[in-house]
Structures are given as structure tokens and as C-alpha cells.
Amino acid sequence: MRSIWNGAISFGLVSIPIKLVNATESHSISFRQIHVSDGGRVRYRKVCELDGEEVPAAEIGKGYEEADGSIVPITDEDLARLPIPTAKTIEIVSFVPAEEIDPLQMDAAYYLAANGATAAKPYTLLREALKRSRKVAIAKYALRGRERLGMLRVVDDVIAMHGLLWPDEIRRPEGVAPEASVTVREAELDLADALMATLGEVEIASLHDDYREAVEAMLAAKTGEGFEPAEAMVEPAGGQVIDLMAALESSVRAAKASRAGGSGDSAESATEAEVTPIRGRRTPAASAPAPKAVGGKKSTASTGTAKKTAAAKKTAAGGKKSTATTKGAAGTKSGSGARSTKSASGAKAAGAGRASATGATAGAGTAKKAAPRKRSSA
């Protein structure tokens, strides 16, 4: 690995020559700015505001802008005359327990490599002393034109240094915590502890950047001209509050099912939490409206039920209408039975009903009278 800084660790009267190496690297995918109409690259050029001409890097210096907008030129010679004892030295000032360092202060991370064979012995001495004391070293060093604060600790068999922000660079969390007074019950804490215990631990090495992989797949597909953008699924925001106890219980069941290798269906059903309405809204329990579907489409089950109910009502109405028609056909001598097959069937049914009421002779007479009417209409 390429070193970015050469110097020495000042450990009392012991000096340890070291090289500073970046301990982290970014895998994020960067994009270029282009002109949308023709796809050409859009580049930034450093132009002087006075003459409007582009300035080469060799002619660019430093300057401090005052409140009134005027610029005070600062040269490299001015900065070189400043007293910075840590310009080429990582000066250890104290050793403290690791828990005293607030993670909010941690910045960039570096590896410190021994520079040369003579540095191996003091380097190993400092490393083993840090291991045995279970402490970290607080140091001051200068990098990229400014003095910084650092923390030295042991990672495997290497001394690593974390850049620390100065204490006055940490903002106080004013106005961030909830202002309302909230009471947490013991049962809720017990369920939260159970959920934490069920989820257990995770190997950090097994975690990966899903978004970066999706971007890489998109770029590969676009290069091969086979990319079809998919719409992102956005969960709609609701106006209801999830019952905290129900959510915790469901989360614990889902976590146990996941740890036990349960099916996806059981995990999904376990994550469904009860929903309670927001307090302060006066809604009668008896006349509470049914929740509307999110997508704006009627459900298939409710549509099928409505169709069946309408068909049943229609059938019942048709039955009553048929009965009334049959009675009317029986009491009327001149009918329209010869005009359609349905009317003829109604006349026959009426004749059969009259035969059962008045006797076989009356039925036969009705049949004889019906026959001439059929021939005359034909």
C-alpha cells in the first residue's frame, strides 16, 4: 500500500519511524456530469474573476476571505514559519481507556507501518504495551496543512490511528430528543430485550452494499442494451399508530421464525401488527367506517359477494313476477300465448292449475277452447 505521510511516533524519548497508510477505501460508484442533449462531458475550469481567463494549477495560491469580502493572500512561506512541532511527528500526549473516547469524535482511519528495520523493535514495544494496558494513545499530528488529534490502538498486529475531531467540533444535541414526556413500561422493555436477544449478533463481514450492487447490475445491463428500469416500491404513509406491544411481539415471533429457518409465509404473518387509531379523534365504535383499500381498487372477494347478492335478489324478484304472471294468465281468457313460446307455456301451466282446482272436465274444456284460438292467429 502506498504511504501518504512519512514521519515518526514520539513516545517519550523513543522515536519510531513510521509510514502513514490509508486504512479504508471507498467503493462507491461515481458519476460524471454530461450535457443531456449530446452526452458531452461537463468539466470545471478554474477561471479568474477579474480577467475571466482560465488559471493553471501552478499559478493558484491560497487566500483568506474576510467578512467584507476582501482576500488576504497566504503564501507557503507564511505557513512554514508557523510553530507546528507535529509537522513530521505523531506526538503521544497521554494514554486513556478506550471507552473514554466518544465515537462521535472518530474520523478517518490509518495504518501505521514501521519504516525500516531499526523501527521494528520500538514499534513492537509500543504495540505490546498498548495490548497489555488495554488503553489507547491520544496523539497530536499535522496532516494536509493543519494540526489534528488522533487515537492509536492495536488492530491484529498493527498499530492503527483514528483521526479525532477536536472536542469543540462536536455539536451538542440540542432540540434533537423528543420534547414530550414518554413513559416506557417494564413489559415493553422486556419485549425489547427479548427481541434483541432473538436477533442475536451478526458478522460484520457478511454485510454488503445492496445499492451499489444494484447500480453495478444496472450499468452492466445498460452496456449490453438490455436494461429495463423498474419502478421502486414506496410504502404509502398511513394515519394510524401501530400498537407498540403488538409490534414488539410480532417482531419477536418473526425473528424466532427466521432464526429457526421457518418459511417466508410464517415470517410474514408474524410481522403483522395490530393497529390502533390515533388518540384524540372521536369516532363512534358502532359507526366506524371500513378501511379503504390503498390501491383504490375494489377487492375481488367483495365484488364477487356483491354480484352474488344482486343475482339472488334478481332471482327472487323474477320468481315473484312469474307467479303474478301465471295468476294473470289463468284468469284471462284471451291471452298472448300464441305470440310467443313463453306465453304458451304460461297458458298450459294455468290450465293445469285450474284442472287441479275444478276437476279434469274443466281442464279438458279449456284445452279445446285454446286450440281454435291458436289456429285463427296462425
Side-chain angles (χ1 to χ4, degrees):
M1 290 185 286
R2 186 175 63 88
S3 63
I4 61 173
W5 185 87
N6 292 338
I9 299 176
S10 176
F11 178 32
L13 297 178
V14 178
S15 180
I16 310 171
I18 55 96
K19 296 185 294 183
L20 196 67
V21 179
N22 280 322
T24 61
E25 58 185 359
S26 175
H27 290 167
S28 61
I29 299 174
S30 59
F31 299 100
R32 302 293 186 186
Q33 290 187 335
I34 63 171
H35 191 193
V36 177
S37 60
D38 55 14
R41 279 282 306 275
V42 177
R43 298 180 182 272
Y44 291 99
R45 295 181 178 180
K46 298 180 179 181
V47 179
C48 178
E49 292 183 353
L50 298 180
D51 56 18
E53 296 183 359
E54 186 175 356
V55 182
E59 299 181 9
I60 297 177
K62 297 182 181 69
Y64 175 77
E65 184 178 2
E66 292 186 323
D68 58 356
S70 60
I71 302 296
V72 179
I74 303 296
T75 64
D76 292 339
E77 290 76 14
D78 295 334
L79 297 175
R81 285 195 293 266
L82 295 178
I84 305 181
T86 57
K88 284 292 181 180
T89 305
I90 299 176
E91 182 182 353
I92 297 178
V93 295
S94 65
F95 293 88
V96 299
E99 55 269 16
E100 289 188 8
I101 304 300
D102 191 341
L104 286 174
Q105 286 188 256
M106 292 188 180
D107 199 3
Y110 308 94
Y111 289 136
L112 303 181
N115 192 3
T118 56
K121 182 66 178 289
Y123 184 94
T124 305
L125 173 64
L126 177 59
R127 183 191 67 194
E128 296 303 318
L130 289 172
K131 280 184 179 180
R132 189 169 70 172
S133 65
R134 297 183 180 179
K135 292 183 178 181
V136 296
I138 303 300
K140 295 171 68 176
Y141 66 101
L143 182 65
R144 298 187 181 96
R146 55 169 291 197
E147 191 172 49
R148 303 169 186 264
L149 194 62
M151 178 190 73
L152 278 63
R153 69 185 184 96
V154 178
V155 178
D156 295 335
D157 289 332
V158 177
I159 299 176
M161 182 175 70
H162 295 269
L164 297 179
L165 300 175
W166 295 99
D168 59 356
E169 293 179 324
I170 305 298
R171 300 174 62 183
R172 296 188 60 81
E174 296 177 355
V176 180
E179 296 180 0
S181 178
V182 179
T183 302
V184 179
R185 294 178 295 174
E186 289 293 331
E188 294 171 341
L189 284 174
D190 293 340
L191 280 174
D193 292 340
L195 178 58
M196 293 169 62
T198 306
L199 290 175
E201 299 178 356
V202 65
E203 294 184 4
I204 301 298
S206 65
L207 303 178
H208 57 278
D209 189 349
D210 295 329
Y211 178 75
R212 179 170 60 87
E213 292 181 357
V215 172
E216 291 175 349
M218 177 196 67
L219 294 176
K222 268 186 168 292
T223 305
E225 298 182 356
F227 174 69
E228 294 183 1
E231 295 183 1
M233 301 299 294
V234 180
E235 291 290 338
Q240 294 176 321
V241 177
I242 298 179
D243 192 321
L244 183 58
M245 289 292 292
L248 288 171
E249 292 173 354
S250 300
S251 300
V252 172
R253 290 196 299 269
K256 287 181 178 179
S258 177
R259 288 292 179 181
S263 62
D265 296 339
S266 62
E268 285 185 7
S269 61
T271 56
E272 295 180 359
E274 296 180 2
V275 178
T276 57
I278 299 176
R279 292 183 178 179
R281 297 182 181 179
R282 298 179 179 179
T283 304
S287 60
K292 296 181 179 180
V294 177
K297 297 181 179 179
K298 297 179 180 180
S299 78
T300 308
S302 61
T303 305
T305 306
K307 288 182 178 180
K308 290 180 180 179
T309 307
K313 290 181 178 179
K314 190 174 181 181
T315 305
K320 292 179 180 179
K321 188 176 181 181
S322 176
T323 307
T325 305
T326 304
K327 290 181 179 178
T332 307
K333 292 182 180 180
S334 59
S336 59
R339 296 180 183 178
S340 64
T341 308
K342 293 181 179 180
S343 300
S345 302
K348 291 180 181 180
R354 185 174 294 177
S356 60
T358 59
T361 306
T366 306
K368 287 179 181 180
K369 290 180 182 180
R373 285 202 300 272
K374 188 174 184 181
R375 285 195 297 268
S376 62
S377 62

